Each structure stands twice: as C-alpha cells, then as structure tokens.
Amino acid sequence: MPVANPLAYRLGQRGGERNLNRNLAPTTSPQDYEDHVANWLCPLLAEHEVLLDLHSFQSPGQPFVFLGPTDNDGELEPFAHAAREEALARRLGVADAVDGWLSTYALGVARRRQAPTGDARQQALNGDARYGVGTTEYMRSQGGWALTLECGRHGDAAAPEVAYRAILNTLAHLGMVDAPDPQPQPLALLSLYEVVDKLDDNDSFAREWTSFAPVRRGETIGRRADGSPVSAPDDARIVFPNPRAQAGQEWFYLAKPSHRR
C-alpha cells in the first residue's frame, strides 16, 4: 500500500484531520477522515499475518526500526511473536532499534487525563488508553506481528532507498521471492521510558535535536512558553524530537539502553 493516508499525503503533513497512527480501530460512527481510513485499513491488516510499516520523521536522524514488546500475557499488549519480529528487524538494513512504545505512551495518556487540553474531540482521544495504538499495535492485537521502519527524515533523498531495501529483504526473509535470506545484522537497542508533551504552541527546543542524540541529566532540552526550562531527568537519548508538534501532543521521547536480550 503506497499511501495509507491520502489526505495527509496530499496536504504534505503528518495527519489529515488527525494522526492516523493513534487510536487506530474500526468504528461504526466515524468522526473524521482518519476514522474512515481506519474502517478500510483495519480489516485489511486483520486479513494478513505480517506488517512492515514504512515511516519518515520530522527532525534529522538515522533510520531505525520499532520493535514490539517481548512475549507476555499482560493486559496492555499481550504478544507471542517477539522472536519473529526480532529476526526480521535484524534483516532490514538498519543498525538501531527501539521498543517500549505502548507502555511509554500509556504514561502520557495518564497525564493528559489529569490536565486535558484541546477541544472535546481531542480530549477524548488524548484520554483514551488506546490512543497509542497505531498500525503495528493493531496488527498485534489481531494475532499478527509487525515492525515500523523509520526510514529517515521526511524529504531525505536516501529514505526511499532505505525503504526499498527493507521491502526486498523482508520478502526474501519471508520466502515470498526467490532470493536468499539476508544475513542477520546486530542491532543497538534502546527502550523508551518517558514522553514529554508540548503544552503550548510556543514551547521551543533549546537547539535542533536529532533522534538518538545523548542528553545529560539536568541538561536543558527546551523551554516552555513562559520561559521555564524542560530539563533531562536522567542521562538518556532523545527520540522523535518534533518542533512542529501541536499543544497537547507528544513533543519528544527519552530512551535508555535496553536490557532486552
């Protein structure tokens, strides 16, 4: 599927009327463009076993892959195909991986419930425990497995080649084309553990951050609209710094080296 969100693609922005990769699920009462997309996209995902979702991001940074959780029977994201995801992730042609998406996002949802922002529709979305569910999370909820490949900065001329190589490697690894299985490569793995929202459209970063840039405990990452600093609580790596984020939406994430084996 070359374009999952035609309206956002046509407008040249992350979402049409909202972010498609949040609170993704079929609905009997669609309220926005992305709800209509979900009503044909979700059944398509549910009919399949594996998803490779190709993304770009806003700030400078290197390509990386998002892994799902380890195998578990918990309430948030029960899963049983971690080994399959890890095996494919090591064959996509990137050197870095990140996990911990949904559990970290749930922390942000809990905070948003305590301090709601935006109109009634946005407040309802922000406070929904499923708001962190996008294509890969929905795929796992239907019994499949999935990876999100962040191919590079939006508009980077190298990003399409990253995506194309990953598609070919995926088809070969799954035995869908007559080609040898690519050799697995090592991955440096980080785990998300914190998400920080933009509270005002005038919140700003202290400098241009790139994904995986190190931050030191106490270092100023940005400033709120009133001038108060937003400082790193720990030594960490910054992920998905988004200077174009809207108030009430995720501004950046923090990650640490993973203990996952």
Side-chain angles (χ1 to χ4, degrees):
M1 183 190 305
V3 179
N5 191 332
L7 178 58
Y9 182 82
R10 188 164 66 248
L11 294 175
Q13 60 192 34
R14 188 176 188 180
E17 296 180 352
R18 69 175 180 88
N19 190 340
L20 176 65
N21 227 33
R22 301 289 184 274
N23 208 316
L24 183 67
T27 176
T28 56
S29 55
Q31 299 185 47
D32 48 44
Y33 178 84
E34 278 72 14
D35 282 349
H36 289 284
V37 174
N39 279 345
W40 61 258
L41 177 59
C42 290
L44 180 65
L45 294 175
E47 291 174 0
H48 291 78
E49 298 173 61
V50 187
L51 168 68
L52 174 64
D53 199 359
L54 305 171
H55 284 218
S56 60
F57 45 82
Q58 296 285 350
S59 297
Q62 296 300 310
F64 66 96
V65 59
F66 254 119
L67 284 167
T70 55
D71 290 346
N72 72 95
D73 57 1
E75 294 184 4
L76 183 64
E77 193 176 16
F79 194 48
H81 301 299
R84 292 179 175 179
E85 287 191 358
E86 292 164 6
L88 177 57
R90 295 176 61 199
R91 290 166 168 84
L92 294 181
V94 297
D96 296 297
V98 177
D99 70 0
W101 168 260
L102 203 55
S103 58
T104 301
Y105 209 91
L107 296 175
V109 168
R111 292 184 191 134
R112 291 171 187 171
R113 287 173 176 169
Q114 297 175 355
T117 60
D119 58 25
R121 169 65 169 159
Q122 194 60 53
Q123 289 182 27
L125 290 170
N126 284 351
D128 192 328
R130 300 172 301 172
Y131 195 48
V133 173
T135 52
T136 52
E137 292 78 22
Y138 185 80
M139 191 76 182
R140 294 182 193 113
S141 76
Q142 301 302 300
W145 52 282
L147 295 173
T148 294
L149 179 64
E150 297 287 349
C151 300
R153 189 175 192 178
H154 193 70
D156 185 342
E161 180 58 33
V162 172
Y164 185 67
R165 178 182 59 197
I167 291 170
L168 294 182
N169 287 0
T170 296
L171 295 175
H173 177 62
L174 297 178
M176 299 174 69
V177 294
D178 186 14
D181 188 6
Q183 287 295 312
Q185 301 298 318
L187 283 172
L189 179 60
L190 294 173
S191 288
L192 297 180
Y193 73 97
E194 182 63 282
V195 57
V196 177
D197 286 350
K198 221 178 192 184
L199 302 181
D200 188 286
D201 287 334
N202 291 316
D203 292 352
S204 59
F205 284 123
R207 64 180 177 88
E208 184 180 53
W209 293 99
T210 62
S211 275
F212 299 109
V215 292
R216 307 296 294 179
R217 181 177 182 180
E219 182 176 355
T220 298
I221 296 174
R223 293 192 178 275
R224 297 298 185 187
D226 63 3
S228 59
V230 178
S231 302
D234 310 283
D235 292 349
R237 300 286 181 131
I238 192 167
V239 180
F240 282 153
N242 184 7
R244 297 173 59 185
Q246 297 177 334
Q249 300 296 300
E250 58 270 22
W251 193 17
F252 63 89
Y253 294 82
L254 294 175
K256 289 183 176 181
S258 175
H259 297 296
R260 180 173 178 170
R261 293 183 182 274

